[in-house]
Amino acid sequence: MSRSYGRAEGSVDVKQTRDAGAPEQFVWRGRLYRVKHVLQQWDTSVTWWKDVATAPNGTDLRTWRVEAAAGRCDTPGVYELSFDPVSSRWYLLRTYD
């Protein structure tokens, strides 16, 4: 089961790795989550429905699906984090049980 979050409630602070820019840890709802594994990474064009010839400046959103936990004893969960280069903000898009 999963839950989606909108931009207003899903904004998170992220510390990313220096080399690949992947999330290393993030703060959500006042708790620090440490990323244990990056499960998947993909880019999505903001204007994916438009032809590149008519909209060549579509900005890509980079998304990571990660396994993370809030503490050593906390059960890890799966989270989708996305970086929006236009706003330079990170968002929590979805959580999985």
Side-chain angles (χ1 to χ4, degrees):
M1 194 156 158
S2 68
R3 176 161 186 229
S4 297
Y5 295 91
R7 287 191 176 229
E9 64 183 336
S11 181
V12 293
D13 293 320
V14 173
K15 178 182 177 190
Q16 48 193 99
T17 59
R18 293 177 197 253
D19 54 347
E24 189 174 275
Q25 59 189 25
F26 60 96
V27 176
W28 179 51
R29 295 184 175 172
R31 295 183 74 187
L32 176 66
Y33 290 79
R34 295 187 192 279
V35 174
K36 295 178 177 283
H37 303 285
V38 173
L39 304 175
Q40 195 173 12
Q41 187 274 316
W42 65 92
D43 294 334
T44 306
S45 176
V46 174
T47 56
W48 60 267
W49 63 92
K50 294 183 179 180
D51 186 300
V52 175
T54 60
N57 296 327
T59 304
D60 289 342
L61 297 177
R62 182 156 283 179
T63 303
W64 286 266
R65 184 174 293 149
V66 300
E67 181 182 70
R72 292 183 192 168
C73 299
D74 192 29
T75 303
V78 176
Y79 305 87
E80 283 183 8
L81 300 165
S82 184
F83 179 71
D84 179 358
V86 173
S87 65
S88 295
R89 301 215 43 175
W90 284 85
Y91 298 96
L92 176 69
L93 300 180
R94 183 176 299 270
T95 59
Y96 295 88
D97 294 341

